Amino acid sequence: MIKSQIIEKIENWAGCKIQKQKSVSGGSIAQTNLIKFEDGRTCLLKTGSEHSDVFFKEASGLKEIQKTACIRTPDVYCVEEELLLMEFIEPGHKDQNFFIKFGKQLADLHRHTSFKFGFKEDNYIGSTPQLNIPKGTESESWIDFYYNKRLLYQYKLAEQNQLVGNELKNGFLVLENRIEEILEGSEEKPCLLHGDLWGGNYLCDLGSNPVLIDPAVYYGHREADLAMTKLFGGFTNEFYQSYSKHNPLPQGYDYRENIYLLYHVLNHLNLFGSSYYGQAVRLVWSYLH
């Protein structure tokens, strides 16, 4: 049940009473409810986050993507520490052009560049803090930014969580010395990334348009976004072909894929425990044989 003070705030915002509320699945980070007002409007409400700033960061990420006018995201109506009220996007059916459109729109999103790697604020990847504010060389060096703010941060967190064994420790030490060589040839301007682009973080609306949700935005290398799409599937060959047609990737992107997957697998190791350990070890050692 939604707390009475949250209901009061939403009804004040809407200027009318809630007629109906229904719990919907919305991931493990927050409780998600479908809210129907007496005037017929329907909204999506998130509540119950464990961090006080999660909803502000999610709203900020959605607005950053929305500013590009490349791909649809839900409108943000109201955001406070304990709630995020958004547009409810009714799901539709994917037509034969859905993934072609999706590939093109993501390619267009990745054309929005910045002078610096990172973002104006830190945010979250799942419920793990994601550090985005660059220090020193990190603002201009993707290698420094990605190693320090992504891989090393997650690795140290795994150490604190006592999830690092010798295979991962030894592999990570070698990886540290080889990262420049691994990422060589992929230098590009920082571009806007969704940041957590797996199959559960996009929708299809009634017009068969792609919709991005639950972002973890920052300005980085677009190969990182595309690698994440491979982790759990949910994207078709047409998607990748369409992306490549509109925004071709530098040579060697398939070789670099594992180093970008490693960030998310280390995050899953930290969030869900040792069932992801073997995968993390395999990804690290894929560069060391």
Side-chain angles (χ1 to χ4, degrees):
M1 285 296 290
I2 303 166
K3 291 177 184 173
S4 55
Q5 65 262 38
I6 290 178
I7 287 175
E8 193 180 331
K9 279 181 181 176
I10 295 164
E11 290 181 339
N12 286 341
W13 169 84
C16 75
K17 296 282 184 192
I18 291 172
Q19 185 185 67
K20 204 159 66 174
Q21 50 176 289
K22 179 182 155 191
S23 178
V24 291
S25 61
S28 55
I29 312 304
Q31 287 84 56
T32 308
N33 284 271
L34 204 55
I35 301 293
K36 190 168 184 182
F37 294 102
E38 285 179 346
D39 63 4
R41 280 180 291 170
T42 306
C43 299
L44 202 66
L45 173 69
K46 285 189 173 185
T47 56
S49 168
E50 63 180 281
H51 300 288
S52 62
D53 59 350
V54 158
F55 296 140
F56 291 105
K57 301 302 170 72
E58 183 175 342
S60 178
L62 289 169
K63 288 171 184 173
E64 192 74 12
I65 294 170
Q66 199 169 49
K67 276 192 299 194
T68 70
C70 290
I71 191 164
R72 190 176 179 189
T73 58
D75 287 333
V76 174
Y77 296 141
C78 181
V79 59
E80 297 194 10
E81 190 176 306
E82 69 269 43
L83 70 93
L84 175 60
L85 189 68
M86 294 183 290
E87 174 187 12
F88 168 65
I89 295 177
E90 201 167 332
H93 295 289
K94 301 180 185 81
D95 65 19
Q96 61 187 18
N97 293 317
F98 175 81
F99 281 107
I100 295 169
K101 198 187 297 182
F102 194 0
K104 180 191 182 299
Q105 290 182 357
L106 186 68
D108 290 343
L109 179 72
H110 287 165
R111 284 205 179 85
H112 286 262
T113 57
S114 169
F115 295 111
K116 293 181 178 180
F117 291 105
F119 194 47
K120 62 187 176 184
E121 62 191 10
D122 296 334
N123 48 30
Y124 294 88
I125 183 82
S127 59
T128 310
Q130 178 168 265
L131 306 187
N132 294 325
I133 299 168
K135 288 180 182 168
T137 56
E138 292 168 359
S139 64
E140 288 165 15
S141 166
W142 172 240
I143 291 167
D144 292 351
F145 180 87
Y146 186 70
Y147 180 75
N148 294 330
K149 291 288 191 275
R150 296 293 178 262
L151 297 183
L152 188 61
Y153 176 76
Q154 290 282 355
Y155 177 80
K156 285 184 170 175
L157 200 56
E159 275 192 328
Q160 286 170 31
N161 293 332
Q162 298 183 317
L163 291 163
V164 175
N166 284 335
E167 313 101 313
L168 189 55
K169 184 179 181 179
N170 295 337
F172 202 84
L173 287 169
V174 182
L175 192 69
E176 180 184 5
N177 295 319
R178 287 204 52 205
I179 190 163
E180 286 190 33
E181 180 194 331
I182 293 163
L183 293 179
E184 190 182 5
S186 67
E187 297 80 8
E188 287 188 336
K189 280 184 182 176
C191 72
L192 182 57
L193 308 184
H194 175 280
D196 193 11
L197 192 57
W198 68 287
N201 281 348
Y202 72 81
L203 309 170
C204 173
D205 71 11
L206 289 174
S208 194
N209 298 298
V211 183
L212 292 180
I213 60 170
D214 295 345
V217 304
Y218 65 100
Y219 286 82
H221 200 300
R222 60 204 175 100
E223 289 181 11
D225 248 2
L226 288 162
M228 178 57 172
T229 65
K230 304 280 183 73
L231 194 54
F232 302 113
F235 299 79
T236 65
N237 285 337
E238 288 86 358
F239 168 82
Y240 298 108
Q241 286 163 3
S242 176
Y243 183 96
S244 297
K245 180 182 167 187
H246 291 97
N247 201 351
L249 289 165
Q251 273 191 313
Y253 69 89
D254 46 352
Y255 170 71
R256 295 182 289 271
E257 200 170 87
N258 280 359
I259 204 160
Y260 294 126
L261 285 172
L262 181 59
Y263 170 57
H264 296 288
V265 171
L266 286 173
N267 185 45
H268 278 71
L269 176 65
N270 284 313
L271 287 173
F272 306 114
S274 57
S275 61
Y276 283 92
Y277 182 77
Q279 194 176 1
V281 169
R282 284 194 298 278
L283 288 170
V284 168
W285 283 95
S286 71
Y287 289 108
L288 310 179
H289 292 304

